[in-house]
Amino acid sequence: KRKINFWMKNVSKKMEITVSEAEKRTGRNAMNMQETYTAYLIETRAVESQNEGQCSPVDSLWRRYSEFELLRNYLLVTYPHIVVPPLPEKRADFVWHKLSADNMDPDFVERRRIGLENFLLRVASHPVLCQDKIFYSFLTQEGGWKEMVNETGFQLKADSRLKALNATFRVKNPDKRFTELKHYSDELQSVISHLLRVRARVADRLYGVYKVHGNYGRVFSEWSAIEKEMGDGLQSAGHHMDVYAASIDDILEEEEHYADQLKEYLFYAEALRAVCRKHELMQYDLEMAAQDLTSKKQQCEELATGTMRTFSLKGMTSKLFGQETPEQREAKIKILEEQIQEGEEQLKSKNLEGRDFVKSAWADIERFKEQKNRDLKEALISYAVMQISMCKKGIQVWTNAKECFSKM
């Protein structure tokens, strides 16, 4: 089991976190219908900072996957400038055909348990997210946690997908860095998807090759029954082939853990895009505010000078039904001047907010890039080492078989 010490400034504690087990349960959902789900046991242990290494008793609570989803959605809305760690998949994808895609399959549930623990460790090791009180409550407060999250009103702050799509197509001056990052996240998702599909196809072929070696074992065993001098050697060689054929199950199960590490970055690509979309929305709001301010200034100038620079329905109405009185015009100018002053303050605030967002987002993106490079390098090297080890075992099996044949 992996664990991490992280410092909670708001509660002055260091903690260790593990998701230690998963349990299948049956209950009733919001529609009062019976359902089967998996609950996960989160264990935390406070470490006294004064006496490093001395731990208090373990605290534990159970959480459903949907509660992990609620936590992540809260983090996405509350920290839009951060590349929020993804959750493991809810249902198995990119699986080779012998592997169950059932989300209640014990092997899949175990891999998801590891993924959920990894998610918590990612959040706990993040310099900003680990300080969040809702995250701390998720780890330590079983009852009333959902109500606490909903009381933050984070759902009201969430940007609609339609608004985000509108901003994507209508923003006039997108930041080149975020545009390139969005393109990179698309490419990263595509590359990892292809890699996982290739790996699934290789796993299918490899499984077949290994299992066919079991036929050697059966044939050598049958052959040994009709031979006197050669019988023992053939029987022993057949045994080695049987062991080799059976070993593929553990090998491919180990491979799934490396595949899950790649899948994490497949889902991280969407987290990167979420940051880019938020920046597009902010840029679009800024441009709309600037456009509205320019329009009001133009209206004010036209009223002050009595000239109409652009066609408007109001202007045509004035020509048809008579001009406004000086008092009416002065009142309109005064209202526009107040709106212009307010608009200039809003524009200044939006500009400042945008600059702060870019600064914070880019700092976190750089942190994420370092993490990604380190993690993917480690995963790929480990995968290569596993493949080398697998090939060595194959060589050893045939070396053993050769020795058996030599002794005949």
Side-chain angles (χ1 to χ4, degrees), residues 181-200:
L181 183 65
K182 197 174 179 181
H183 177 69
Y184 168 76
S185 66
D186 291 338
E187 292 295 318
L188 179 65
Q189 192 171 44
S190 176
V191 166
I192 294 179
S193 295
H194 288 319
L195 190 60
L196 287 167
R197 288 192 187 96
V198 170
R199 181 258 155 190

Side-chain angles (χ1 to χ4, degrees), residues 243-311:
V243 170
Y244 183 68
S247 68
I248 189 60
D249 298 292
D250 289 337
I251 289 170
L252 291 182
E253 182 57 39
E254 185 182 353
E255 265 200 15
E256 282 304 314
H257 293 294
Y258 293 116
D260 287 339
Q261 289 176 353
L262 290 175
K263 284 179 185 178
E264 183 186 19
Y265 280 92
L266 181 74
F267 305 140
Y268 255 125
E270 176 55 31
L272 277 175
R273 282 197 293 272
V275 176
C276 295
R277 283 197 300 269
K278 182 62 180 179
H279 181 263
E280 284 176 341
L281 272 170
M282 294 179 73
Q283 180 63 24
Y284 179 66
D285 287 343
L286 179 67
E287 290 176 5
M288 290 298 100
Q291 185 177 314
D292 184 58
L293 182 61
T294 302
S295 175
K296 283 184 167 58
K297 285 181 176 180
Q298 186 177 318
Q299 290 176 44
C300 191
E301 184 185 341
E302 288 173 355
L303 282 169
T305 59
T307 58
M308 190 170 64
R309 291 164 57 186
T310 57
F311 172 82

Side-chain angles (χ1 to χ4, degrees), residues 30 44 67 77 85 118 128 130 148 152 154 167 206-207 226 229 251 280 285 289 315 323 336 349 353 357 366 371 375:
T44 55
E67 292 176 287
V77 173
N118 187 59
V128 176
C130 74
M148 185 185 296
T152 64
F154 81 93
L206 202 60
Y207 184 84
I226 63 171
E229 291 81 3
I251 289 170
E280 284 176 341
D285 287 343
Q323 296 290 332
L336 279 169
S349 175
E353 185 184 358
F357 178 89
E366 290 300 323
Q371 170 197 300
D375 288 350

Side-chain angles (χ1 to χ4, degrees), residues 228-394:
K228 291 183 179 179
E229 291 81 3
M230 295 169 57
D232 290 344
L234 289 169
Q235 186 70 40
S236 298
H239 171 71
H240 289 300
M241 293 300 162
D242 288 337
V243 170
Y244 183 68
S247 68
I248 189 60
D249 298 292
D250 289 337
I251 289 170
L252 291 182
E253 182 57 39
E254 185 182 353
E255 265 200 15
E256 282 304 314
H257 293 294
Y258 293 116
D260 287 339
Q261 289 176 353
L262 290 175
K263 284 179 185 178
E264 183 186 19
Y265 280 92
L266 181 74
F267 305 140
Y268 255 125
E270 176 55 31
L272 277 175
R273 282 197 293 272
V275 176
C276 295
R277 283 197 300 269
K278 182 62 180 179
H279 181 263
E280 284 176 341
L281 272 170
M282 294 179 73
Q283 180 63 24
Y284 179 66
D285 287 343
L286 179 67
E287 290 176 5
M288 290 298 100
Q291 185 177 314
D292 184 58
L293 182 61
T294 302
S295 175
K296 283 184 167 58
K297 285 181 176 180
Q298 186 177 318
Q299 290 176 44
C300 191
E301 184 185 341
E302 288 173 355
L303 282 169
T305 59
T307 58
M308 190 170 64
R309 291 164 57 186
T310 57
F311 172 82
S312 71
L313 186 60
K314 285 185 179 180
M316 290 300 295
T317 304
S318 297
K319 285 188 176 183
L320 290 170
F321 300 104
Q323 296 290 332
E324 297 168 317
T325 64
E327 290 80 11
Q328 288 174 322
R329 191 160 56 248
E330 284 298 323
K332 284 190 175 182
I333 289 173
K334 186 177 180 182
I335 291 171
L336 279 169
E337 284 176 342
E338 289 174 358
Q339 291 177 343
I340 288 168
Q341 184 178 355
E342 185 181 332
E344 284 176 338
E345 289 174 0
Q346 285 182 354
L347 190 63
K348 184 179 178 182
S349 175
K350 285 181 182 293
N351 264 312
L352 186 62
E353 185 184 358
R355 284 197 294 270
D356 287 344
F357 178 89
V358 170
K359 183 180 178 182
S360 300
W362 215 251
D364 197 64
I365 287 163
E366 290 300 323
R367 178 204 60 79
F368 166 76
K369 286 179 179 177
E370 289 180 11
Q371 170 197 300
K372 170 188 67 78
N373 294 344
R374 182 176 62 249
D375 288 350
L376 289 179
K377 176 183 177 181
E378 183 181 326
L380 291 169
I381 290 173
S382 297
Y383 184 70
V385 168
M386 194 205 82
Q387 296 293 327
I388 292 167
S389 174
M390 182 174 66
C391 293
K392 284 181 177 177
K393 286 177 182 176

Side-chain angles (χ1 to χ4, degrees), residues 23-34:
E23 182 178 281
K24 187 177 179 180
R25 293 183 177 182
T26 303
R28 294 196 172 275
N29 59 21
M31 303 294 290
N32 202 31
M33 296 175 67
Q34 191 164 319

Side-chain angles (χ1 to χ4, degrees), residues 102-134:
D102 179 12
N103 65 337
M104 288 296 175
D105 176 72
D107 290 333
F108 173 72
V109 169
E110 171 59 15
R111 290 198 307 277
R112 190 162 69 176
R113 179 198 67 76
I114 293 170
L116 291 172
E117 181 177 271
N118 187 59
F119 165 74
L120 293 180
L121 298 183
R122 292 282 195 203
V123 176
S125 61
H126 192 283
V128 176
L129 300 181
C130 74
Q131 310 304 328
D132 188 89
K133 290 182 180 180
I134 294 295

